[in-house]
Amino acid sequence: MGKDVIIACDFSSAEQTFAFLDKFQGRKPFVKIGMELFYAEGPQIVREIKKRGHRIFLDLKLHDIPNTVKKSMAVLSSLDVDLCNLHAAGTIRMMEAALEGLTRPDGTRPLLIAVTQLTSTDEESMKKDLLINEPIDKVVMHYAHNAKLAGLDGVVCSPLEAGKVHEICGRDFLTVTPGVRFADGEIGDQKRVMTPEQAKAIGSDYIVVGRPITAAEDPVAAYERCISEFVD
Ligand code: C5P
């Protein structure tokens, strides 16, 4: 898969989601379904969006004992999602078990990426709450390397970390990066942001864009702008 823009469909109902996707008419953007929408509507929302012809990143960030994650991944795999994720903090063994569960009988599987440290976790809370005393950048790169060792396809990370992740884990290891804003747009609650053009220059493979598209007056035009800045 080449570079692409993934729209974060952070809606709480199928109705809102379809009203949004209907605006795109013939176009079929790659979409991200997160916990909010999945817990509100269940797996049927995945089947329906898939039936409409979209590729899907199912962002459920699994983290449990290896056996439970393996079995849950088998369920997600049968939903025919294209990309899903888990927490690298679950250990290399959990990530390996996830890959096993995700692999279908014919050998195919959705792409699997890891969350390293959430961007809401800063170095202070990591030290105080989690008793992890290394610098946060080192922890992020270590978790990315663990994901690579386990055989995963990439990580979710800040666009600011994408270049370093590629240096450590290789150019083919995917970096999927949220925290993207237009140069003339609102930043909202994101702290460290990059424009689609900057994310492209630093080597992100996929950008995840929510409000700059979902809250735009013309979401289709905002999406096209992301594509022209990031992909074309
Ligand atoms: O609206 P906005 O563009 O900020 O949406 C970004 C999306 O990426 C949201 O779905 C958010 O939950 C997700 N995300 C993030 N930062 C992370 C991981 C996920 O913003 N570190």
Side-chain angles (χ1 to χ4, degrees):
M1 295 211 272
K3 281 189 186 297
D4 209 348
V5 174
I6 303 177
I7 304 179
C9 287
D10 293 325
F11 301 112
S12 53
S13 72
E15 199 187 344
Q16 282 175 309
T17 308
F18 291 130
F20 172 76
L21 293 177
D22 284 345
K23 296 188 171 126
F24 288 81
Q25 310 234 328
R27 292 213 67 158
K28 302 289 177 192
F30 200 145
V31 299
K32 177 171 91 75
I33 300 175
M35 290 185 211
E36 183 186 4
L37 185 58
F38 190 80
Y39 293 150
E41 297 289 349
Q44 193 52 27
I45 188 76
V46 176
R47 295 189 189 100
E48 284 175 27
I49 295 178
K50 196 72 204 176
K51 210 157 70 189
R52 286 173 169 235
H54 297 267
R55 279 180 295 156
I56 297 177
F57 168 20
L58 190 56
D59 179 17
L60 298 181
K61 301 186 180 73
L62 276 69
H63 187 173
D64 208 317
I65 60 170
N67 186 53
T68 301
V69 170
K70 178 177 169 178
K71 288 181 166 172
S72 306
M73 284 294 180
V75 175
L76 302 188
S77 187
S78 73
L79 279 177
D80 202 20
V81 297
D82 298 277
L83 178 61
C84 51
N85 63 357
L86 44 61
H87 275 282
T91 75
I92 292 178
R93 217 179 115 227
M94 186 202 80
M95 291 191 271
E96 287 170 344
L99 269 185
E100 274 175 43
L102 208 54
T103 306
R104 305 181 184 106
D106 66 359
T108 63
R109 63 166 176 81
L111 292 170
L112 181 61
I113 58 176
V115 175
T116 54
Q117 282 291 344
L118 291 169
T119 44
S120 52
T121 307
D122 59 14
E123 201 160 295
E124 194 192 336
S125 52
M126 212 180 59
K127 285 192 163 70
K128 250 175 74 186
D129 302 354
L130 309 179
L131 288 183
I132 299 173
N133 285 305
E134 299 287 350
I136 193 157
D137 287 358
K138 192 173 168 191
V139 176
V140 167
M141 296 308 151
H142 180 67
Y143 283 19
H145 189 244
N146 283 352
K148 167 97 180 163
L149 288 178
L152 268 65
D153 303 294
V155 287
V156 184
C157 64
S158 148
L160 298 155
E161 294 158 354
K164 187 93 188 280
V165 169
H166 282 136
E167 260 174 49
I168 290 173
C169 300
R171 187 63 202 86
D172 292 343
F173 195 68
L174 300 174
T175 52
V176 179
T177 61
V180 173
R181 292 294 181 263
F182 292 123
D184 53 2
E186 300 261 326
I187 289 184
D189 56 356
Q190 294 282 11
K191 295 215 163 54
R192 301 181 305 152
V193 298
M194 269 194 188
T195 65
E197 261 175 329
Q198 289 168 329
K200 179 182 183 176
I202 209 159
S204 292
D205 296 292
Y206 294 89
I207 51 173
V208 177
V209 187
R211 289 159 292 178
I213 296 175
T214 55
E217 218 165 282
D218 184 344
V220 180
Y223 172 69
E224 299 294 356
R225 181 175 171 191
C226 280
I227 293 281
S228 71
E229 287 190 22
F230 183 70
V231 182
D232 296 341

